[in-house]
Amino acid sequence: MKTIKKIGQFLKSKFLVVIRKEQDFSVITSFNISSGKSVAILVLFFILTFGFSLFLSKTLLRAWFDPFYKETENTALLLQLSETVDSLQLEVLKKDNYVKNIQRIIAGEAEYLEEFVEQDTSATPQRRSAEVLFEPSDATISILQEMRGVPLELEIGQAIDVGFLGEVYFFPPIKGVVTAIFDPKKDHFGIDIVAKENEPVKTIADGTVIFSSWTLGTGYVVAIQHSDELISIYKHNSVILKSIGETVKGGEIISIIGNTGELTTGPHLHFEIWYKGSPLNPQDFISFD
């Protein structure tokens, strides 16, 4: 109780503040102030100073006071540089492909991108642009026709030398249950695999996307050209993540499993492997369990 009384007396005690001139000590002004008011003024001054300092540390002086400022700034810079590098890599890839195409044209491996055709000896040469850079092979044409629903004239049971494929590792496009097997006699040139909803579909090996579109019967379809005239086809996707001309690595995600097209009976992936224009049984080379 004595302590409380002392504190109360201290807060009620008053002081006279006098301001004088230095030369003649004449009074300029004077005022009374209690200890309680002095404490309140000091507290208010501290609160205002702390609030103003906090405001500056989050705005004008953030670079000096915020320990996460530099980290955030560096992260944003890294993201920006990463996007720039990706764009540059894409441009370099496009230029490399362009140079390779020119080299193939010069070597006579493909038709010219542009050529001059003369109607007769007296006519002025006319310039003709090719719609495509390369003339597709018969095997590629037959596969593209099959993807578009055009009937094929296949010799079922014909002998195909695929010995080298047994030595190549193929990534499984998806893990799941095979519900329909390879049966060319019934025009089923691949297998059907049921997996989880929204499961990503992966390419079996390195290659280039040669078909990425919608077909009435098989929905969203992706086809990838691999080495040695090997082509893999992925049908009934819900989403396609790659475009024609893009290069992909083995195991890279190219689409999402779906249920698109008129020839589907539920969410699944229809997967095919073609070699030199002939379909192969995917289960002979890949395990889907």
Side-chain angles (χ1 to χ4, degrees):
M1 294 296 292
K2 292 182 178 180
T3 304
I4 296 175
K5 286 182 178 180
K6 289 182 178 181
I7 294 174
Q9 291 175 357
F10 172 76
L11 294 176
K12 291 179 180 179
S13 59
K14 295 183 178 181
F15 300 91
L16 177 62
V17 179
V18 180
I19 301 175
R20 299 175 181 271
K21 289 184 179 180
E22 185 179 4
Q23 292 82 1
D24 54 3
F25 296 100
S26 60
V27 177
I28 298 176
T29 184
S30 64
F31 58 89
N32 295 323
I33 186 171
S34 65
S35 299
K37 289 182 179 180
S38 301
V39 172
I41 291 172
L42 290 175
V43 171
L44 179 62
F45 176 79
F46 175 80
I47 293 174
L48 291 175
T49 304
F50 178 81
F52 185 69
S53 301
L54 184 62
F55 172 78
L56 291 178
S57 66
K58 296 298 182 181
T59 54
L60 300 177
L61 303 179
R62 183 183 177 189
W64 289 273
F65 288 91
D66 191 352
F68 300 100
Y69 177 81
K70 278 294 181 184
E71 183 178 352
T72 304
E73 190 178 42
N74 291 336
T75 301
L77 182 59
L78 287 175
L79 292 175
Q80 183 179 1
L81 291 176
S82 177
E83 292 177 356
T84 303
V85 170
D86 290 342
S87 300
L88 292 175
Q89 287 179 340
L90 181 60
E91 291 297 326
V92 170
L93 180 60
K94 290 180 179 179
K95 291 182 178 180
D96 288 343
N97 289 338
Y98 176 80
V99 172
K100 290 178 182 178
N101 291 340
I102 296 299
Q103 290 174 344
R104 293 185 64 179
I105 292 174
I106 295 174
E109 298 178 3
E111 67 178 20
Y112 291 100
L113 179 63
E114 294 183 346
E115 62 181 4
F116 293 91
V117 180
E118 293 185 358
Q119 298 293 339
D120 52 55
T121 55
S122 61
T124 303
Q126 297 180 353
R127 184 166 154 174
R128 179 176 63 87
S129 298
E131 294 182 358
V132 294
L133 185 62
F134 301 109
E135 185 69 27
S137 64
D138 294 337
T140 302
I141 292 175
S142 65
I143 293 173
L144 293 176
Q145 288 177 339
E146 192 277 332
M147 286 188 291
R148 294 186 174 95
V150 179
L152 295 177
E153 297 179 359
L154 294 177
E155 297 180 10
I156 305 301
Q158 60 183 358
I160 305 174
D161 182 14
V162 293
F164 82 97
L165 294 178
E167 303 175 359
V168 180
Y169 174 76
F170 294 111
F171 290 87
I174 204 167
K175 292 288 187 178
V177 179
V178 177
T179 57
I181 62 173
F182 177 76
D183 192 355
K185 293 181 179 179
K186 296 182 179 179
D187 293 333
H188 197 254
F189 302 111
I191 60 174
D192 292 341
I193 312 160
V194 176
K196 298 179 181 178
E197 185 180 1
N198 296 327
E199 189 77 8
V201 179
K202 304 174 183 178
T203 179
I204 62 173
D206 297 355
T208 303
V209 179
I210 61 172
F211 189 88
S212 177
S213 184
W214 164 272
T215 64
L216 184 62
T218 55
Y220 289 108
V221 180
V222 182
I224 298 177
Q225 172 74 63
H226 307 286
S227 59
D228 298 318
E229 299 185 61
L230 182 70
I231 294 177
S232 59
I233 305 173
Y234 315 78
K235 299 181 177 181
H236 303 301
N237 301 282
S238 61
V239 178
I240 296 178
L241 304 177
K242 299 295 179 181
S243 302
I244 294 177
E246 288 191 56
T247 57
V248 293
K249 295 291 185 180
E252 185 175 349
I253 297 175
I254 58 174
S255 63
I256 303 298
I257 192 172
N259 184 32
T260 57
E262 293 183 350
L263 301 179
T264 182
T265 56
H268 73 285
L269 171 68
H270 178 86
F271 174 63
E272 301 177 6
I273 296 179
W274 292 72
Y275 178 62
K276 294 185 177 180
S278 298
L280 303 179
N281 186 358
Q283 290 185 290
D284 292 342
F285 309 98
I286 303 173
S287 175
F288 299 92
D289 299 330

